Amino acid sequence: MSLPPLREVIARHGLSASKALGQNFLLDEQLLDRIARIPGALDGQPAYEVGPGPGGLTRALLRAGAQVTAVERDRRCIAALAELEAAFPGKLDVIEGDAMAVDEAATVPAAHVVANLPYNVGTALLVRWLGGEAWPPWWRSLTLMFQQEVAERIVAAPGTGAYGRLAVLAQWRSTAKLAMKVHRSAFVPPPKVMSAVVHIVPAEQPEGVSAAKLEQVTAAAFGQRRKMLRQSLKSVPGALDALGRLDIDSERRAETLAIAEFVAIARELSA
C-alpha cells in the first residue's frame, strides 16, 4: 500500500515534536521496519503502541500485519493517525488519552508492546509493566525505545555502573536484551543523546516471592546505593534479619548483589 512520506504528513498536519510531551519523531521507514521485526512475526498478532505521534512506527507495525492499538495524548496527531485507520481498515484502533490511565490487561491482553516511548513517561510505564503480582503479565513481549543510558540500565549486569533497580525488576522474571542502537540523527528533532531498543520477554517467576517485596527491597537498596546494606535496608522491616539468615554480608553495597540474592531477600520477607 502506497502511503505519503512521513515528512509530508508532518508538514500537512503542521506537526512538530513537543518537548513537553517528550516527543522525538522517527522517520526512517527502513529503520522502523527493523524495529517492528524485533518481536518476531506479528501477522495477525495484537500490538500495543504508546505515543505513535505522526504514525511512523504504527505504519511499520501495520505493514507487518499486526492488529494495532495505539494510545496518543497529543490531539494534534489524531488526524494523521485517522488517515492510517482509513488506509488499514479494521487494523488500527487509536485511543486518545494518557497511557498511564489505560487498563492494558482489559484493553490489549496478550499484546506485543512496541513503542518509541515518550522520554518523560517511558521509565514509569516500564516499571508498571514489569510490576504487579499477576504473572505471566498481560503483555507477550516489550520492544521499547529508550535513551541509550536507560536501555543500558535495564540490561545491566551486577557489579557494573549501570546496574540498579531497573535491571533487577527487568531481569528477575524476564529476559532483557539490548536489541539495537539508534543514532540520534535518525530522529526529528535529533535528541542530545543516543537511543537504543530493548526487547523483554516474560520468563518463569521464582516461587514464593512477592513482587511488591522485591520492589520495596530494591527501592531501598538502590535509593542509597553508596551506603552499605545495613544502612540502606534499615527502613525495610525484617530485611537485616533476612541478610543474616541468608549469610549475605550487610557491609556489601547494593550493586554487588546478584539478582538471585535480591530475590532470596524478597522471598524471606514474603514468607
Side-chain angles (χ1 to χ4, degrees):
M1 176 172 297
S2 180
L3 292 167
L6 281 163
R7 287 183 187 279
E8 183 184 309
V9 172
I10 288 170
R12 184 155 36 84
H13 291 280
L15 299 177
S16 58
S18 162
K19 198 168 182 180
L21 294 176
Q23 291 173 331
N24 292 93
F25 298 152
L26 200 50
L27 306 184
D28 182 331
E29 303 237 7
Q30 285 186 316
L31 179 61
L32 291 162
D33 285 335
R34 281 176 61 203
I35 294 169
R37 285 196 292 269
I38 290 170
L42 288 177
D43 194 20
Q45 298 292 315
Y48 180 58
E49 184 185 7
V50 173
L57 183 55
T58 319
R59 291 176 174 212
L61 294 170
L62 291 166
R63 280 195 294 265
Q67 185 74 39
V68 182
T69 300
V71 180
E72 179 57 71
R73 67 176 289 190
D74 185 354
R75 178 160 285 183
R76 301 173 309 150
C77 297
I78 299 300
L81 294 169
E83 292 177 7
L84 277 182
E85 283 185 276
F88 292 86
K91 300 292 285 183
L92 173 61
D93 180 27
V94 177
I95 300 171
E96 184 180 349
D98 184 350
M100 293 296 286
V102 174
D103 178 355
E104 299 100 345
T107 310
V108 282
H112 292 280
V113 183
V114 188
N116 171 20
L117 289 175
Y119 284 161
N120 53 359
V121 294
T123 306
L125 280 170
L126 176 67
V127 169
R128 189 175 87 178
W129 293 338
L130 294 171
E133 302 300 336
W135 203 261
W138 60 268
W139 47 271
R140 292 177 62 188
S141 70
L142 303 175
T143 302
L144 306 172
M145 177 95 69
F146 291 99
Q147 295 178 25
Q148 187 175 321
E149 179 191 346
V150 176
E152 287 170 349
R153 282 164 49 202
I154 293 165
V155 303
T160 62
Y163 181 67
R165 184 169 183 240
L166 272 187
V168 178
L169 296 183
Q171 296 176 48
W172 78 283
R173 55 182 180 178
S174 301
T175 58
K177 68 174 185 179
L178 205 151
M180 64 185 286
K181 294 180 180 178
V182 181
H183 197 274
R184 52 187 294 275
S185 62
F187 295 89
V188 176
K192 293 189 172 121
V193 295
M194 300 283 277
S195 296
V197 179
V198 172
H199 184 58
I200 302 173
V201 179
E204 285 280 310
Q205 174 166 329
E207 289 186 12
V209 183
S210 156
K213 287 295 181 189
L214 185 72
E215 289 173 20
Q216 182 186 21
V217 169
T218 53
F222 289 106
Q224 304 181 72
R225 64 184 297 146
R226 295 188 183 280
K227 295 190 175 177
M228 296 176 186
L229 294 172
R230 59 184 165 83
Q231 280 297 116
S232 61
L233 292 183
K234 201 162 57 174
S235 62
V236 180
L240 298 185
D241 291 336
L243 293 180
R245 289 194 296 275
L246 294 165
D247 203 24
I248 295 173
D249 186 351
S250 65
E251 296 198 351
R252 289 169 66 186
R253 290 179 172 80
E255 67 263 22
T256 71
L257 265 66
I259 291 169
E261 290 177 296
F262 278 112
V263 168
I265 296 167
R267 185 182 282 115
E268 287 286 317
L269 299 178
S270 305

